[in-house]
Amino acid sequence: MNKQRILAHFQESANLKLQAGAALAQPIGLAVELMFNALSNGNKILACGNGGSAADCQHFAAELVGRFERERLPLAAIALTTDTSILTAVGNDYSYQEIFSKQVQAFGQPGDVLLALSTSGNSPNVVAAIDAALERDMRIVALTGKGGGAIGKRLTDADVHICVPHDRTARIQEVHLLTIHCLCDGIDVALFGEDTND
């Protein structure tokens, strides 16, 4: 792979992050507030997505249960992408479309938040999880791209849609990862105040 092609990836990613920052700062701030309210009231965050988005869900949950950049008490977050017995049982006995919605029905409570990731906004199992969460009076924070797809149409005024203004999956995922870090930092600051070492 030639150097110019590699540099083009870096340039496109950097440009998109700067462009997306201006567009997404407000909804990211609203998502932090929604998650802070849930966690401070004893609720939890459930996260779901496929492929790279599944890895992002696990990353997010790990940062909350462990730590992001400061020592603090663990925060309640569960990635619905990790239990292979549940995923394969539900996928085999019902359908792959229900692998997350069944878990939302089992673990979700009113006041909880569902972090739903889909670069296309059209992943059927993520859409089904959103429907299940809304039925349980949960709030949604959706990370999408490509215009938001079916997920964007499912959300209510009480939910938060963070839609990356791009059509390329890799670039959308890169902004999703940065968004997750913003969410983790924002939650820490909301719960524990500014870190004097920043």
Side-chain angles (χ1 to χ4, degrees):
M1 190 177 214
N2 68 53
K3 182 178 178 181
Q4 285 307 117
R5 188 175 180 88
I6 293 168
L7 289 174
H9 279 287
F10 276 83
Q11 189 68 54
E12 185 179 54
S13 183
N15 288 343
L16 174 60
K17 285 172 182 169
L18 291 172
Q19 173 194 350
L24 302 181
Q26 182 178 10
I28 291 172
L30 293 172
V32 167
E33 186 177 340
L34 195 64
M35 291 177 169
F36 162 74
N37 287 337
L39 293 167
S40 61
N41 286 316
N43 289 101
K44 61 189 172 294
I45 302 170
L46 306 178
C48 66
N50 300 289
S53 296
D56 286 342
C57 291
Q58 290 160 225
H59 184 151
F60 175 80
E63 302 283 30
L64 263 62
V65 174
R67 67 177 179 192
F68 180 54
E69 291 184 325
R70 68 174 78 185
E71 292 297 333
R72 54 154 168 76
L73 293 173
L75 301 174
I78 302 170
L80 304 181
T81 56
T82 58
D83 191 321
T84 55
S85 294
I86 291 176
L87 296 172
T88 55
V90 174
N92 184 66
D93 296 347
Y94 298 92
S95 73
Y96 188 75
Q97 185 169 325
E98 296 182 67
I99 61 171
F100 300 136
S101 60
K102 289 280 189 190
Q103 294 185 76
V104 170
Q105 291 166 346
F107 305 128
Q109 298 294 328
D112 289 347
V113 174
L114 178 69
L115 176 62
L117 283 78
S118 170
T119 57
S120 68
N122 292 315
S123 303
N125 54 5
V126 178
V127 172
I130 289 171
D131 289 342
L134 292 173
E135 288 171 3
R136 298 189 73 77
D137 199 25
M138 296 169 60
R139 299 282 65 84
I140 317 298
V141 173
L143 272 61
T144 69
K146 305 181 183 182
I151 288 174
K153 297 171 184 166
R154 283 289 203 290
L155 302 177
T156 72
D157 291 340
D159 304 315
V160 180
H161 189 192
I162 301 169
C163 182
V164 179
H166 208 273
D167 290 325
R168 190 171 181 182
T169 297
R171 298 289 91 91
I172 295 166
Q173 289 175 327
E174 288 159 8
V175 177
H176 281 181
L177 178 57
L178 179 56
T179 299
I180 285 168
H181 286 162
C182 290
L183 293 173
C184 292
D185 177 65
I187 290 166
D188 276 2
V189 170
L191 285 170
F192 307 108
E194 296 281 352
D195 189 340
T196 55
N197 295 321
D198 284 352

